[in-house]
Amino acid sequence: MNEHPPMTRIQARNRAVILSGGLDVFSIAGFRGATLDQIADAAGLSKPNLLYYFPSKDAIYAALLEQLLATWLDPLRALDADGDPVTEVLAYARRKLALSRDFPRESRLFATEILAGAPQIHAMLAGPLRDLVNEKALVLQSWMDAGRIRATDPHHLIVSIWALTQHYADFDVQVRAVLGDGDAFAGADHFITDLYRSLLDPAPARRL
Amino acid sequence: MNEHPPMTRIQARNRAVILSGGLDVFSIAGFRGATLDQIADAAGLSKPNLLYYFPSKDAIYAALLEQLLATWLDPLRALDADGDPVTEVLAYARRKLALSRDFPRESRLFATEILAGAPQIHAMLAGPLRDLVNEKALVLQSWMDAGRIRATDPHHLIVSIWALTQHYADFDVQVRAVLGDGDAFAGADHFITDLYRSLLDPAPARRL
DNA sequence: CGTTTGTTTGACCGTTCGGTCAAATCGGAT
DNA sequence: ATCCGATTTGACCGAACGGTCAAACAAACG
């Protein structure tokens, strides 16, 4: 689409720190609640310097969403129709959970955007995301029809994986207050694996 | 605590519409992102009139959180140690889901507050909520020890119910974009029941 | 060295923010 | 009808907002 002119090291570095600072602030306060001064402070730059690298607050936000959406669907895309059904679903859930663990700011940015009504990314939700979900739901349905996993609603299955994995990043403060400050993700990984195995396994070999 | 002087019908009505308007705006934009003008507009009152009934923007927000927290823990409190284990957990999950269905704005308000770092309600999370969760986790653990439900992590079990039920309110825009504009809660209720029954039932009588 | 280009910033602008206030209006009891 | 407290609002305030700009500064190159 847009070909970038060659970028100096200073440009690359400053654009990076601005995006990181913007991610810090937007992911906590949302678009409206964030201010350029907060972002400039988080980035360690002056406000006019911010606007030397990005034309506006909106542009910073848009750049963050763009780089987020570029990889957000990858875990679901990787769900392989030719793999072992239970293994594939569990691997998907664990990939998504790892994404929440490793990129909690991105997860929260996504959450604030959705909560605000998804003004910027609604087209992506109703387009590519919807198509991808429908495609993978068909895969799940075919597995269910073949008796390889237990029959349940494939769409809600996918949504439930989103809900569970997002929650540990987005509601981090609440989870830590209740579970303590230890690593909640380790326990979450184990629980989620257990949960979906027991849901999907067609011939449950319990009590191992 | 604070005894209210007798309230006229006008006062009762205007305080109500202000809180409703504030809920509309805060639940979408968060505290920082919301403006008094937006709230006044949503309430159908002028901005100075708003501040005749509430001393400040913070006071409106605090009143909303207070009335939210007053009932937020009720579904979990109602989990009965003397009831049938699977029935009790499923009933809790369904009560929580009903709360998301019937009070989506309150659910989103809670979400924005948590995402912002829970500056107003952190004490409640680390205090009453934590205590309640620990208490109910002990109940779940005793059921597991007695073999009445399958053994899994009780804390993560509770957190997962929060995650799933909140999601249908908080990520409503995304859910609707993917599942269509129909009633997602009906399908969610069925799926969640299925999910937790298969996790918890100690002697699964599948294929009914 | 000088010059050119890229980078940084203090000062500033118009607008919107949360909040105030005096004056106007309303409503219910007498 | 009159009164008095309750209610409503237009006009306004200082602060913070997103954004601009000219001038100062740094880096690269001959």
Side-chain angles (χ1 to χ4, degrees), chain A residues 8 10-11 14 32 45-46 48-49 52-53:
Chain A
T8 71
I10 293 180
Q11 284 171 341
N14 280 350
R32 280 266 1 241
L45 298 175
S46 68
N49 206 7
Y52 174 74
Y53 290 100

Side-chain angles (χ1 to χ4, degrees), chain B residues 41-91:
Chain B
D41 202 50
L45 299 175
S46 67
K47 182 168 64 167
N49 207 7
L50 236 70
L51 294 161
Y52 173 75
Y53 291 99
F54 289 88
S56 66
K57 177 184 176 182
D58 300 69
I60 301 174
Y61 190 71
L64 283 170
L65 281 184
E66 190 187 352
Q67 91 176 16
L68 169 64
L69 296 184
T71 61
W72 205 239
L73 303 185
D74 285 350
L76 182 53
R77 277 203 201 93
L79 189 120
D80 182 6
D82 297 326
D84 174 66
V86 173
T87 306
E88 283 296 319
V89 174
L90 291 184

Side-chain angles (χ1 to χ4, degrees), chain A residues 67-80 92 95-96 99 124 129 132 136:
Chain A
Q67 90 176 18
L68 169 65
L69 296 185
T71 62
W72 205 241
L73 303 185
D74 284 352
L76 183 53
R77 277 203 201 92
L79 189 121
D80 182 7
Y92 167 53
R95 276 196 300 274
K96 204 89 173 63
L99 214 61
M124 175 272 191
L129 175 63
L132 179 64
K136 297 303 183 182

Side-chain angles (χ1 to χ4, degrees), chain A residues 49-123:
Chain A
N49 206 7
L50 236 70
L51 295 160
Y52 174 74
Y53 290 100
F54 289 88
S56 67
K57 179 184 176 182
D58 301 68
I60 300 174
Y61 190 72
L64 282 170
L65 280 185
E66 189 187 353
Q67 90 176 18
L68 169 65
L69 296 185
T71 62
W72 205 241
L73 303 185
D74 284 352
L76 183 53
R77 277 203 201 92
L79 189 121
D80 182 7
D82 297 328
D84 174 67
V86 174
T87 307
E88 283 296 320
V89 174
L90 291 185
Y92 167 53
R94 302 185 70 204
R95 276 196 300 274
K96 204 89 173 63
L97 184 64
L99 214 61
S100 284
R101 192 219 309 133
D102 298 334
F103 302 98
R105 298 181 303 170
E106 282 82 351
S107 180
R108 281 193 282 268
L109 178 72
F110 187 78
T112 63
E113 167 70 9
I114 298 288
L115 278 165
Q120 304 289 326
I121 65 172
H122 191 271

Side-chain angles (χ1 to χ4, degrees), chain B residues 30-169:
Chain B
F31 177 76
R32 280 272 356 247
T35 74
L36 285 178
D37 292 282
Q38 288 175 314
I39 298 172
D41 202 50
L45 299 175
S46 67
K47 182 168 64 167
N49 207 7
L50 236 70
L51 294 161
Y52 173 75
Y53 291 99
F54 289 88
S56 66
K57 177 184 176 182
D58 300 69
I60 301 174
Y61 190 71
L64 283 170
L65 281 184
E66 190 187 352
Q67 91 176 16
L68 169 64
L69 296 184
T71 61
W72 205 239
L73 303 185
D74 285 350
L76 182 53
R77 277 203 201 93
L79 189 120
D80 182 6
D82 297 326
D84 174 66
V86 173
T87 306
E88 283 296 319
V89 174
L90 291 184
Y92 168 52
R94 301 185 71 205
R95 276 196 301 274
K96 204 89 172 64
L97 185 65
L99 215 61
S100 284
R101 190 217 313 131
D102 298 334
F103 303 97
R105 298 180 304 170
E106 283 83 351
S107 180
R108 281 193 282 270
L109 179 71
F110 187 79
T112 62
E113 167 70 8
I114 298 288
L115 278 164
Q120 306 288 327
I121 66 171
H122 191 270
M124 176 273 191
L125 298 180
L129 175 62
R130 178 166 216 223
D131 295 342
L132 179 63
V133 168
N134 284 337
E135 174 199 330
K136 297 304 183 182
L138 280 179
V139 172
L140 292 170
Q141 188 65 55
S142 73
W143 287 339
M144 292 173 191
D145 292 343
R148 303 179 69 188
I149 55 176
R150 277 192 56 230
T152 188
D153 187 305
H155 285 92
H156 282 281
L157 173 57
I158 293 172
V159 169
S160 76
I161 291 173
W162 293 346
L164 281 172
T165 54
Q166 283 257 164
H167 192 82
Y168 285 93

